[in-house]
């Protein structure tokens, strides 16, 4: 199955809808604002224990019932390809630099194991300290700290709280669904 590039623009903070007082669920803009403000808290960022071998994380109280995390990334670590199911989200690099590889394509949500991606769907962003992004439902990406000698720290927020994470493997244009994780798998 081929997947064509999405014609929808990527969500940047300035392009996101404003917060509506009648809505109780946080928007992508709310989540982005939260990760931006949280990443600016140098005391909080410095309090995260960093491990030279693996990622570390601390759960945070996000806005409006969202799920939020402070994550430490040792040199050379990453998430692998994944999505956040029906949750919208935002993340921002608080220190160091992260690379995000993503797909600018809407994938089917269920009923497939292997997809062949068309040319032009790959996107790459380098996010230095103070830079981040918001994203919509079913956003497929991987996040990496490609530094050889420096930790990175980032802040992430999702709403609704993550119902599941689908993990993928990628070989060239072939994307394979490998595993579905539920909250109890990472809590």
């Amino acid at each position: 199955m081929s997947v064509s590039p999405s014609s929808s623009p990527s969500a940047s903070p300035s392009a996101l809808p404003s917060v509506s007082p009648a809505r109780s669920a946080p928007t992508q803009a709310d989540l982005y604002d939260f990760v931006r403000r949280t990443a600016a808290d140098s005391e909080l960022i410095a309090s995260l224990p960093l491990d030279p071998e693996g990622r570390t994380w601390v759960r945070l109280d996000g806005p409006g019932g969202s799920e939020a995390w402070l994550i430490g990334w040792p040199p050379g670590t990453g998430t692998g390809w994944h999505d956040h199911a029906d949750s919208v989200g935002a993340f921002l690099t608080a220190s160091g630099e992260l690379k995000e590889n993503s797909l600018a394509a809407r994938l089917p949500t269920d009923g497939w194991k292997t997809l062949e991606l068309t040319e032009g769907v790959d996107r790459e962003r380098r996010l230095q300290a103070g830079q981040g992004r918001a994203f919509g439902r079913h956003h497929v990406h991987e996040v990496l700290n490609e530094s050889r000698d420096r930790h990175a720290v980032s802040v992430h927020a999702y709403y609704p709280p993550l119902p599941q994470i689908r993990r993928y493997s990628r070989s060239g244009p072939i994307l394979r669904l490998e595993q579905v994780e539920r909250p109890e798998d990472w809590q």
Side-chain angles (χ1 to χ4, degrees):
M1 171 181 216
S2 293
V3 177
S4 300
S6 169
S7 60
S8 62
S10 68
S12 68
S14 61
L16 295 172
S18 62
V19 178
S20 167
R23 294 174 62 183
S24 60
T27 65
Q28 290 178 30
D30 296 330
L31 297 175
Y32 187 84
D33 184 56
F34 170 79
V35 298
R36 183 187 52 74
R37 285 183 291 109
T38 304
D41 183 342
S42 57
E43 236 178 89
L44 176 66
I45 302 309
S47 74
L48 180 67
L50 300 177
D51 183 320
E53 302 293 319
R55 288 189 299 150
T56 55
W57 54 87
V58 172
R59 188 157 187 169
L60 305 171
D61 291 327
S66 64
E67 179 173 347
W69 299 90
L70 179 62
I71 301 176
W73 306 77
T77 59
T79 61
W81 287 94
H82 67 283
D83 72 16
H84 307 99
D86 290 321
S87 297
V88 298
F91 73 100
L92 190 130
T93 304
S95 68
E97 178 181 277
L98 293 172
K99 176 183 172 187
E100 180 198 33
N101 294 318
S102 64
L103 300 178
R106 176 96 175 161
L107 302 182
T109 56
D110 292 307
W112 66 276
K113 285 284 196 182
T114 303
L115 293 175
E116 183 173 339
L117 303 170
T118 58
E119 287 188 39
V121 298
D122 289 300
R123 299 292 181 268
E124 177 183 306
R125 288 177 182 83
R126 295 212 174 260
L127 303 167
Q128 296 180 6
Q131 296 178 323
R133 68 168 311 208
F135 53 85
R137 290 170 170 76
H138 309 289
H139 176 69
V140 177
H141 70 163
E142 69 174 345
V143 180
L144 309 157
N145 177 5
E146 293 186 322
S147 172
R148 293 175 186 234
D149 58 2
R150 186 168 180 210
H151 268 80
V153 176
S154 58
V155 181
H156 303 246
Y158 311 98
Y159 188 84
L162 296 172
Q164 65 183 16
I165 293 178
R166 289 183 287 255
R167 298 214 174 262
Y168 306 97
S169 62
R170 174 116 188 244
S171 178
I174 305 300
L175 187 71
R176 287 186 177 82
L177 176 63
E178 297 291 344
Q179 179 179 357
V180 177
E181 295 177 2
R182 307 251 183 256
E184 57 271 13
D185 297 328
W186 65 81
Q187 299 285 336

